[in-house]
Amino acid sequence: MKRRFQSFDDIDTHGFDAVIDVRSPAEFAEDHVPGAINLPVLDNEERARVGTIYKQESPFRARKIGAALVFRNAALHIETRLAGHEGGWRPLVYCWRGGQRSGAFTWMLREIGWRAEVIEGGYKSYRRLVSQRLYDARLPHRLVQVGGHTGTAKTALLPRLAARGVQVLDLEGLARHRGSLLGGLEVGQPSQKAFESALAAALARLDPHRPVVLEAESSKIGGLNLPPSVWTAMLRAPWLMVEAPIEARARYLAHAYDDVLADGAALKTRLAPLRHFRGHAVVDKWAALIDAGDTVALCHALAEDHYDPAYDKALHAVAPEIVARFSVPGLEPGDLDGAADAMADWLQANAI
């Protein structure tokens, strides 16, 4: 039995007990339906082998070998990962196109007595729904951006606003990047498709009748592009501007980026391309501060020499509508709690 979904919201609220992706681990790693578990009926090597036989030898031989592998692997999943489910269990299964891999696995599950169904069109149909949501349709949400110079703790304000009942969208969290020259995380970024899946799922859970607060970003976060519907809505969004003294920002940055600042050699390599933009004297000054281990002074210099001029130039180009400004004397937890209180109160009092 096949289940057809008309929109991303339909698949996000599917109502099944589990979603099973039977594609190979490599396919699953690139992107998958949010919340799906991976029970591959062909692993990476098996899929490549069957595909090679199909193209170079015989489609019939490939299907015969593939069928044996699929049922062998499916049996192992039933004996292990699925062994604890009772008779009323209702899983939703998909593969690349909703064809042989998911069909064979679903047939086996239904023969056991589980109420399994297949996503019609498989992952490809799911991906079309993501593209439809993020590329083809206008975003229905009313966005409000939190802006401010680098080091004003904008990212740290988002969970505080969420705790105060404000709808927030953490783009940097979804992109696994801190959104600046030094913003990469050790875990690495997801693929573009996986980022879009997570973003579409996050948007589906937000009420379009209430404002959604997010950090002001460029059209790229690390190596990932913001989809057109989101970027267009961000360009229209009003801004709440956070302002803090550069000394407080330098202390905050030194703490927030301590993992990056700890590796002096790697940090110099990251900063080296800026010689073309900021000049040798400026970058040499940064290098001297790295060698001295003075991370607060380094962050002060980076903000003054690079981040602030770049931000001011970008702000002038975007020319956002700044509807409120929030000045904080420091960026300690108490200061951020106070800023979040003020922002939440402002959003409650002003219709945006």
Side-chain angles (χ1 to χ4, degrees):
M1 185 174 180
K2 293 192 174 184
R3 177 59 62 96
R4 185 176 184 179
F5 295 99
Q6 301 292 337
S7 71
F8 186 90
D9 290 337
D10 292 339
I11 204 166
D12 191 59
T13 56
H14 54 74
F16 286 80
D17 296 326
V19 180
I20 300 175
D21 185 327
V22 300
R23 297 175 304 154
S24 68
E27 292 173 289
F28 182 83
E30 182 185 19
D31 185 32
H32 53 266
V33 174
I37 61 171
N38 188 209
L39 299 180
V41 293
L42 293 175
D43 64 24
N44 298 334
E45 293 76 16
E46 291 166 343
R47 178 171 175 260
R49 177 188 168 207
V50 170
T52 299
I53 294 171
Y54 187 94
K55 292 179 180 179
Q56 297 182 4
E57 297 183 33
S58 162
F60 173 76
R61 184 166 182 266
R63 285 193 291 268
K64 183 171 63 174
I65 293 173
L69 292 169
V70 164
F71 282 105
R72 187 181 304 152
N73 291 329
L76 181 62
H77 295 320
I78 291 168
E79 289 176 340
T80 55
R81 298 277 298 277
L82 306 182
H85 295 295
E86 300 297 330
W89 186 55
R90 188 166 170 254
L92 181 64
V93 184
Y94 71 93
C95 61
W96 177 247
R97 295 187 182 88
Q100 293 179 336
R101 285 184 289 177
S102 58
F105 192 58
T106 301
W107 174 83
M108 183 178 283
L109 298 180
R110 291 182 69 84
E111 285 296 301
I112 292 169
W114 288 320
R115 297 180 295 161
E117 296 184 33
V118 175
I119 295 180
E120 183 175 335
Y123 170 79
K124 289 190 71 176
S125 67
Y126 160 75
R127 179 62 194 170
R128 281 194 294 270
L129 297 179
V130 174
S131 296
Q132 183 183 80
R133 164 62 66 87
L134 298 178
Y135 285 81
D136 302 333
R138 180 187 173 107
L139 199 70
H141 303 82
R142 294 178 291 132
L143 304 184
V144 180
Q145 299 207 67
V146 176
H149 284 111
T150 298
T152 47
K154 301 180 292 294
T155 303
L157 285 169
L158 294 183
R160 286 174 164 83
L161 290 170
R164 289 156 175 78
V166 177
Q167 288 196 125
V168 302
L169 179 63
D170 184 1
L171 293 176
E172 291 186 1
L174 296 175
R176 298 204 297 263
H177 196 278
R178 288 173 291 199
S180 69
L181 174 68
L182 306 179
L185 299 175
E186 287 188 9
V187 293
Q189 292 192 268
S191 70
Q192 180 69 32
K193 289 180 179 179
F195 170 61
E196 291 174 2
S197 281
L199 178 55
L203 289 167
R205 296 180 177 93
L206 296 172
D207 182 357
H209 298 101
R210 297 171 52 214
V212 177
V213 175
L214 71 167
E215 184 176 347
E217 305 281 356
S218 67
S219 60
K220 290 191 70 172
I221 304 178
L224 299 175
N225 295 303
L226 290 176
S229 66
V230 176
W231 181 240
T232 299
M234 289 172 70
L235 290 175
R236 295 194 303 263
W239 280 38
L240 308 178
M241 186 67 78
V242 183
E243 299 169 337
I246 193 169
E247 294 78 13
R249 292 162 47 211
R251 289 191 297 272
Y252 181 82
L253 286 169
H255 174 72
Y257 288 84
D258 61 346
D259 56 333
V260 177
L261 300 172
D263 189 341
L267 183 56
K268 288 180 183 179
T269 300
R270 288 197 191 195
L271 297 175
L274 293 179
R275 290 182 179 277
H276 177 70
F277 301 98
R278 302 301 176 196
H280 293 292
V282 169
V283 178
D284 287 343
K285 177 181 70 175
W286 299 341
L289 292 171
I290 293 171
D291 292 337
D294 194 340
T295 57
V296 174
L298 172 63
C299 290
H300 190 292
L302 285 170
E304 190 171 54
D305 299 335
H306 173 64
Y307 282 121
D308 287 6
Y311 189 88
D312 292 341
K313 182 179 179 180
L315 190 66
H316 179 75
V318 174
E321 178 192 7
I322 300 174
V323 294
R325 295 180 182 271
F326 300 87
S327 296
V328 290
L331 295 165
E332 298 299 320
D335 299 308
L336 297 179
D337 287 337
D341 286 336
M343 283 186 177
D345 291 344
W346 191 93
L347 288 165
Q348 180 70 26
N350 293 271
I352 293 184

